[in-house]
């Protein structure tokens, strides 16, 4: 074992009696996600989880990258593992943190001696190791108050750990501890960000996507599957439902007032999403709507959409500007796929002048002119399911 990762729990640590089950969920998520990268052992103590590789050839950069996206981890720390011998510790320190020391101007050494049998006391370790660092990196000076780098040595029961402190984790709470929701996932920028935000609060997500062949291409659908793949590091496995929506859109075009087309389409999307959600014991819907962004997202339009919903609809980006949403999309790496120019079913038959202030009674009356039920049933029956897995190698 050359390196380990120490994980610090955030909110989980204050969950009182439920702490254990939150911790179990987090470790289960980590196990699953790290499975393709090798064998690991997990040791828990006092709101810290130690991830120890059982093989020596683990790609630790990949492990770190993976860990940094798992919700429930407030901070993590990657450490070198060495024998509890001062010479070995000093030697390893020069090598393991050399890059950070080269780029720093000031440093200090912080020693923690959990094993009181170790022959040097903490201040001695600090003084001796600090001296050696200064000798090897003469451009550095010691600053005990505000150093650029804190070289930390922890002498524990079996080994000594060397690291330079905590890095920020993904935060939030473990996926799977806050129930399940069905995300309406388009190929756009907003809905993948909505997924990230709900997963951060522990919600396990399924995704539903509507396609209208031949008006929308298979590449548009593949694009959304790729978005799901990009989301799995954050969200875990995603059950991806693809709904054939062409007939419903054609019936809408032929039977309903053009200016209400979009709002009626959105109500029917919600209806189908709820039927599949109910079947799967999923309790809520999630969309990437942001109030005022487009005609279908005015307050009146949202009132008309919500009136078609029996379950809560979460809209985590509702109060965000596009620039703020884009900032997150870039960080979670969905942005570049989202801006690929494939058509979405929302842009098929869109009216030139959609009603921005639809009145619910009018919308309901327009929908009642035609019997959509058989088409809804058919769409649900022909929906295809594909599970996008988070543990693929
Ligand atoms: P996005 O960037 O997420 O596509 P948008 O700003 O383009 O959002 P709309 O096209 O009005 O907004 O869609 C609003 C929301 O409706 C989306 O965030 C998504 O949740 C859902 N949605 C839109 N089109 C589809 C689709 N083809 N399949 C599934 N959900 C969709
Ligand atoms: Mg869209």
């Amino acid at each position: 074992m050359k390196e380990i990762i120490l994980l610090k729990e955030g909110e989980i640590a204050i969950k009182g009696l439920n702490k254990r089950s939150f911790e179990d969920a987090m470790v289960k998520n980590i196990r699953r996600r790290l499975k393709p990268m090798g064998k690991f052992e997990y040791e828990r103590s006092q709101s810290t989880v130690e991830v120890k590789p059982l093989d020596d050839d683990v790609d630790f950069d990949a492990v770190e990258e993976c860990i940094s996206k798992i919700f429930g981890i407030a901070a993590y720390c990657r450490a070198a593992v060495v024998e509890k011998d001062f010479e070995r510790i000093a030697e390893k320190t020069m090598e393991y943190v050399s890059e950070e020391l080269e780029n720093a101007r000031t440093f200090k050494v912080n020693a923690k001696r959990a094993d009181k049998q170790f022959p040097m006391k903490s201040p001695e370790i600090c003084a001796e190791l600090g001296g050696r660092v200064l000798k090897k990196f003469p451009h550095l000076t010691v600053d005990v108050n505000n150093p650029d780098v804190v070289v930390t040595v922890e002498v524990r029961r079996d080994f000594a750990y060397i690291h330079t402190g905590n890095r920020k984790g993904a935060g939030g709470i473990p996926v799977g501890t806050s129930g399940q929701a069905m995300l309406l996932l388009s190929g756009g920028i907003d809905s993948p960000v909505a997924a990230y935000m709900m997963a951060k609060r522990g919600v396990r997500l399924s995704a539903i996507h509507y396609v209208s062949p031949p008006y929308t291409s298979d590449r548009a659908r593949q694009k959304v599957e790729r978005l799901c793949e990009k989301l799995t590091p954050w969200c875990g496995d995603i059950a991806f439902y693809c709904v054939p929506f062409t007939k419903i859109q054609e019936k809408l075009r032929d039977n309903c007032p053009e200016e209400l087309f979009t709002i009626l389409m959105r109500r029917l999307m919600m209806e189908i999403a709820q039927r599949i959600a109910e079947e799967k014991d999923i309790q809520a819907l999630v969309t990437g709507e942001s109030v005022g962004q487009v005609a279908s997202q005015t307050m009146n339009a949202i009132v008309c959409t919500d009136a078609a919903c029996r379950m809560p609809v979460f809209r985590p980006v509702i109060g965000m500007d596009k620039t703020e949403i884009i900032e997150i999309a870039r960080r979670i790496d969905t942005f570049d796929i989202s801006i690929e120019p494939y058509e979405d079913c929302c842009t098929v038959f869109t009216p030139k002048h959609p009603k921005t202030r639809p009145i619910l009674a009018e919308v309901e009356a327009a929908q009642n002119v035609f019997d959509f039920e058989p088409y809804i049933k058919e769409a649900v029956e022909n929906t295809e399911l594909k599970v996008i897995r988070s543990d693929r190698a």
Side-chain angles (χ1 to χ4, degrees):
M1 185 172 51
K2 294 177 190 145
E3 281 188 284
I4 62 158
I5 292 192
L6 306 167
L7 311 177
K8 320 274 166 165
E9 295 165 4
E11 268 184 76
I12 305 180
I14 52 166
K15 289 285 182 213
L17 293 175
N18 292 327
K19 180 176 147 102
R20 184 82 199 178
S21 63
F22 277 87
E23 220 176 68
D24 286 345
M26 187 178 90
V27 172
K28 197 172 142 203
N29 290 348
I30 299 169
R31 266 182 208 284
R32 189 167 171 76
R33 294 280 314 288
L34 291 185
K35 211 167 89 190
M37 296 180 201
K39 286 203 163 61
F40 300 87
E41 198 176 69
Y42 298 85
E43 206 175 296
R44 309 186 204 186
S45 64
Q46 294 163 8
S47 306
T48 303
V49 179
E50 292 186 19
V51 183
K52 302 176 174 176
L54 298 174
D55 315 314
D56 259 350
D57 57 350
V58 169
D59 176 353
F60 248 79
D61 290 337
V63 170
E64 183 181 347
E65 161 101 26
C66 179
I67 293 278
S68 72
K69 295 177 177 169
I70 297 177
F71 293 123
I73 302 170
Y76 64 89
C77 164
R78 178 173 167 178
V81 181
V82 280
E83 238 175 82
K84 293 195 295 182
D85 168 83
F86 183 76
E87 287 307 319
R88 300 297 303 278
I89 291 171
E91 204 177 284
K92 190 71 187 178
T93 302
M94 304 307 156
E95 172 202 320
Y96 192 65
V97 298
S98 66
E99 205 181 307
E100 278 164 281
L101 290 174
E102 261 155 30
N103 294 323
R105 285 182 305 129
T106 58
F107 83 105
K108 78 168 179 182
V109 178
N110 178 13
K112 294 179 194 165
R113 193 178 58 134
D115 170 15
K116 302 295 178 203
Q117 308 294 323
F118 191 72
M120 291 166 83
K121 292 198 173 124
S122 300
E124 281 175 69
I125 301 175
C126 291
E128 184 62 28
L129 191 59
R132 299 222 190 167
V133 169
L134 281 172
K135 211 165 162 191
K136 174 97 193 270
F137 302 91
H139 71 284
L140 288 173
T141 50
V142 174
D143 180 348
V144 289
N145 295 314
N146 191 21
D148 295 336
V149 176
V150 181
V151 177
T152 307
V153 176
E154 298 185 35
V155 183
R156 301 226 183 171
R157 196 187 61 203
D158 299 323
F159 294 97
Y161 298 159
I162 300 159
H163 59 83
T164 53
N166 288 338
R167 288 173 210 183
K168 199 165 176 278
I173 51 180
V175 169
T177 58
S178 299
Q180 293 194 63
M182 178 71 88
L183 165 75
L184 280 78
L185 180 62
S186 69
I189 298 166
D190 308 330
S191 40
V193 172
Y196 162 82
M197 291 179 74
M198 293 311 294
K200 183 168 184 171
R201 296 312 303 160
V203 177
R204 179 165 298 289
L205 294 165
S206 297
I208 189 163
H209 177 65
Y210 305 82
V211 291
S212 286
Y215 306 105
T216 61
S217 68
D218 201 49
R219 296 183 68 178
R221 174 201 166 135
Q222 286 162 16
K223 169 184 167 179
V224 180
E225 279 185 33
R226 278 187 287 130
L227 280 173
C228 276
E229 280 168 20
K230 281 282 183 193
L231 286 170
T232 57
W234 308 97
C235 302
D237 292 359
I238 297 176
F240 175 70
Y241 296 91
C242 191
V243 184
F245 205 50
T246 317
K247 271 194 202 162
I248 289 184
Q249 286 195 295
E250 285 172 343
K251 294 297 165 198
L252 267 174
R253 177 197 57 191
D254 297 343
N255 297 284
C256 300
E258 192 192 325
E259 75 270 17
L260 294 180
F261 175 87
T262 309
I263 194 76
L264 290 170
M265 178 186 74
R266 298 199 56 75
R267 284 166 58 93
L268 291 163
M269 281 182 168
M270 293 297 197
E271 181 56 38
I272 292 170
Q274 290 178 100
R275 296 222 186 161
I276 296 175
E278 279 159 358
E279 224 172 80
K280 306 285 171 193
D281 262 342
I282 293 172
Q283 294 161 300
L285 303 180
V286 177
T287 75
E289 288 163 299
S290 159
V291 75
Q293 199 186 77
V294 288
S296 64
Q297 297 174 27
T298 61
M299 183 67 76
N300 289 56
I302 289 175
V303 167
C304 292
T305 309
D306 258 16
C309 297
R310 300 178 287 282
M311 47 180 71
V313 182
F314 298 130
R315 299 175 169 93
V317 303
I318 194 74
M320 290 169 73
D321 290 348
K322 199 77 183 185
T323 49
E324 293 169 317
I325 299 173
I326 288 174
E327 211 177 285
I328 299 179
R330 283 192 198 277
R331 186 154 56 77
I332 64 173
D333 201 23
T334 52
F335 183 75
D336 289 341
I337 299 180
S338 289
I339 59 171
E340 287 175 14
Y342 301 115
E343 64 300 324
D344 182 70
C345 75
C346 280
T347 57
V348 175
F349 315 138
T350 34
K352 279 193 200 69
H353 303 290
K355 219 174 183 155
T356 51
R357 295 191 180 195
I359 293 157
L360 181 58
E362 282 175 18
V363 170
E364 285 175 343
Q367 193 170 336
N368 287 336
V369 166
F370 184 79
D371 182 15
F372 286 99
E373 184 56 29
Y375 297 94
I376 293 172
K377 276 210 176 97
E378 190 184 333
V380 170
E381 267 161 32
N382 293 321
T383 292
E384 283 173 33
L385 166 64
K386 179 170 175 181
V387 179
I388 315 285
R389 296 174 66 90
S390 58
D391 65 349
R392 62 198 184 284

